[in-house]
Amino acid sequence: MENFPIINLEKLNGAERVATMEKINDACENWGFFELVNHGIPHEVMDTVEKLTKGHYKKCMEQRFKELVAKKGLEGVEVEVTDMDWESTFFLRHLPSSNISQLPDLDDVYREVMRDFAKRLEKLAEELLDLLCENLGLEKSYLKNTFYGSKGPNFGTKVSNYPPCPKPDLIKGLRAHTDAGGIILLFQDDKVSGLQLLKDGRWIDVPPMRHSIVVNLGDQLEVITNGKYKSVMHRVIAQKDGTRMSLASFYNPGNDALIYPAPALVDKEAEEHNKQVYPKFMFDDYMKLYANLKFQAKEPRFEAMKAMESDPIAIA
C-alpha cells in the first residue's frame, strides 16, 4: 500500500514548491485526505489546546459519558451497536458568530485558547482553499468566495474524546461517513489511534503524528470540482485502552451559499462527460438532507439534490 500523503507546507516557499503542489493535488484526487506538517501553528499553542481539552474532558465530560453508557446498558453489550457512536463531544461555533462565551463548563483560559486556535485554523483553511484553486486552475479566491454566501462561511469545531471501550469490535467510535461540508482540519491525538479512511475497498489508518494537522475534503468540494476531488468515507475505531482526543474544525459554506460545479472545470471535462455531473443547490438544503443520512452513501444525497434543481426556490 502506498504511503499516506504527508505534506510539508514549508516546502511551498522554495525550490520544491512545484513537487509539493503536485503532492497536494495527488492527495486530493486519490486520497481525499492528507497530513500537514510545518503548517504555521506553533507547537506550544497545540500543546496548550491538547492539555486543556484533555483536562476539560476529565473534569466535565468523563463522568457524564460513563453515566450515559450505564443508562444505555452498553457495558456488557453482546451484539453490534449500529445506532450510536462511542464518543463524548461538544461543538464550538466560530463563524459567522461565536458561541464560545455561551457554553457552560468552559473556564476563561480554555475559552481564550480556543478562540485563538480557531483564528489560526481559519487562516490555514483559507490558505489551503487557495492552494486547491491554484491546482485546479481556478482564480485564487474562487473557493473562498463560493463559500461566502451573504454572511460569510460557517466554521466550527467538534471537540471529541473517544474513551476506552470494552467491546470495540461491536461499537464504532464514530460510524463510517463522508463529511458534508467544505474543508476539514483535524488536530488528533498522537498517542491513541483510531481514525481510518476507505481507499480502494480497504480501511487505511490515518497515522497519528505529533503536532500535525490532518486535512480532509467534504462533499461540497467534490461538487464544486465536479468530482475531480472527492470526499472519502472515514470512521473511528474504538480502542480498549486510552482516550483519544480529536478536534475537527469544519470550514463550510455559508447557509445560503449556492454550490455547483465550477464552470471552468465543467468546460474542461465537457468532451468526456458532455454534461454537468453534479447538482446545483443551496448549502443549507444539503445540510437538512444530510442530517438524516449522514451514515449512508453520499451518491443518493447528490441525486436528491439533483431532483430538487427543478424547484426554483431551492436554487434561487
Side-chain angles (χ1 to χ4, degrees), residues 90-125:
F90 65 96
F91 192 81
L92 300 171
R93 189 180 68 245
H94 313 304
L95 295 173
S97 60
S98 172
N99 72 345
I100 290 182
S101 59
Q102 282 91 50
L103 285 179
D105 301 337
L106 307 186
D107 64 44
D108 289 342
V109 174
Y110 190 30
R111 286 184 214 274
E112 203 46 53
V113 164
M114 291 307 285
R115 280 193 190 97
D116 172 66
F117 189 48
K119 285 195 180 83
R120 295 174 188 274
L121 288 169
E122 179 190 348
K123 181 171 176 279
L124 179 58

Side-chain angles (χ1 to χ4, degrees), residues 188-207:
Q188 68 166 347
D189 206 298
D190 65 297
K191 296 179 182 66
V192 184
S193 64
L195 179 61
Q196 297 182 328
L197 64 91
L198 188 63
K199 184 175 188 334
D200 303 327
R202 291 177 53 195
W203 287 103
I204 309 293
D205 291 329
V206 177

Side-chain angles (χ1 to χ4, degrees), residues 93-98 122 126 144-155 251-258 282 284:
R93 189 180 68 245
H94 313 304
L95 295 173
S97 60
S98 172
E122 179 190 348
E126 291 178 350
K144 185 179 168 185
N145 292 342
T146 299
F147 280 23
Y148 199 84
S150 65
K151 297 176 184 172
N154 284 300
F155 184 47
Y251 189 99
N252 292 346
N255 288 357
D256 64 354
L258 198 54
M282 205 183 297
D284 195 45

Side-chain angles (χ1 to χ4, degrees), residues 9-294:
L9 274 193
E10 277 187 347
K11 293 190 173 179
L12 289 173
N13 301 320
E16 294 181 65
R17 179 180 175 83
V18 171
T20 303
M21 290 296 286
E22 284 176 0
K23 277 185 79 171
I24 294 171
N25 190 59
D26 180 72
C28 291
E29 285 190 357
N30 297 308
W31 290 80
F33 270 78
F34 51 93
E35 199 153 359
L36 294 178
V37 296
N38 295 321
H39 41 66
I41 299 178
H43 290 179
E44 57 269 24
V45 170
M46 301 181 81
D47 290 343
T48 302
V49 168
E50 180 176 8
K51 179 185 171 189
L52 293 178
T53 299
K54 289 184 173 179
H56 175 265
Y57 172 73
K58 276 281 186 200
K59 181 182 173 187
C60 301
M61 308 284 288
E62 186 173 42
Q63 188 56 35
R64 286 180 212 164
F65 185 78
K66 287 178 179 174
E67 288 167 5
L68 175 70
V69 167
K71 182 181 171 186
K72 290 184 175 284
L74 293 173
E75 299 103 323
V77 67
E78 297 296 336
V79 295
E80 186 173 6
V81 177
T82 58
D83 61 350
M84 72 166 285
D85 304 304
W86 190 268
E87 64 173 356
S88 169
T89 69
F90 65 96
F91 192 81
L92 300 171
R93 189 180 68 245
H94 313 304
L95 295 173
S97 60
S98 172
N99 72 345
I100 290 182
S101 59
Q102 282 91 50
L103 285 179
D105 301 337
L106 307 186
D107 64 44
D108 289 342
V109 174
Y110 190 30
R111 286 184 214 274
E112 203 46 53
V113 164
M114 291 307 285
R115 280 193 190 97
D116 172 66
F117 189 48
K119 285 195 180 83
R120 295 174 188 274
L121 288 169
E122 179 190 348
K123 181 171 176 279
L124 179 58
E126 291 178 350
E127 287 171 4
L128 289 170
L129 288 177
D130 283 346
L131 292 175
L132 299 195
C133 285
E134 187 176 334
N135 271 335
L136 291 162
L138 299 171
E139 60 190 71
K140 184 176 181 183
S141 296
Y142 182 89
L143 289 170
K144 185 179 168 185
N145 292 342
T146 299
F147 280 23
Y148 199 84
S150 65
K151 297 176 184 172
N154 284 300
F155 184 47
T157 299
K158 179 186 176 190
V159 180
S160 303
N161 281 274
Y162 298 92
C165 178
K167 298 284 181 72
D169 52 327
L170 296 179
I171 309 177
K172 295 284 182 295
L174 180 59
R175 289 161 284 167
H177 63 288
T178 64
D179 288 328
I183 191 165
I184 299 88
L185 279 61
L186 170 70
F187 174 26
Q188 68 166 347
D189 206 298
D190 65 297
K191 296 179 182 66
V192 184
S193 64
L195 179 61
Q196 297 182 328
L197 64 91
L198 188 63
K199 184 175 188 334
D200 303 327
R202 291 177 53 195
W203 287 103
I204 309 293
D205 291 329
V206 177
M209 281 177 59
R210 188 146 185 80
H211 298 133
S212 72
I213 296 284
V214 176
V215 178
N216 73 287
L217 310 182
D219 295 349
Q220 307 309 303
L221 283 177
E222 178 166 339
V223 173
I224 295 168
T225 65
N226 208 30
K228 181 176 172 66
Y229 295 166
K230 287 191 166 58
S231 59
V232 171
M233 292 287 276
H234 53 285
R235 67 185 185 183
V236 176
I237 298 297
Q239 308 287 353
K240 277 203 165 182
D241 301 305
T243 296
R244 176 179 177 267
M245 180 201 75
S246 158
L247 291 93
S249 296
F250 300 81
Y251 189 99
N252 292 346
N255 288 357
D256 64 354
L258 198 54
I259 304 299
Y260 55 92
L265 300 180
V266 177
D267 292 345
K268 284 178 188 173
E269 297 174 6
E271 286 179 12
E272 275 180 63
H273 299 292
N274 210 24
K275 62 178 176 17
Q276 182 171 299
V277 177
Y278 286 83
K280 181 179 187 178
F281 53 84
M282 205 183 297
F283 179 63
D284 195 45
D285 289 332
Y286 189 84
M287 289 307 293
K288 286 171 184 168
L289 184 73
Y290 181 85
N292 297 316
L293 302 173
K294 175 177 178 176

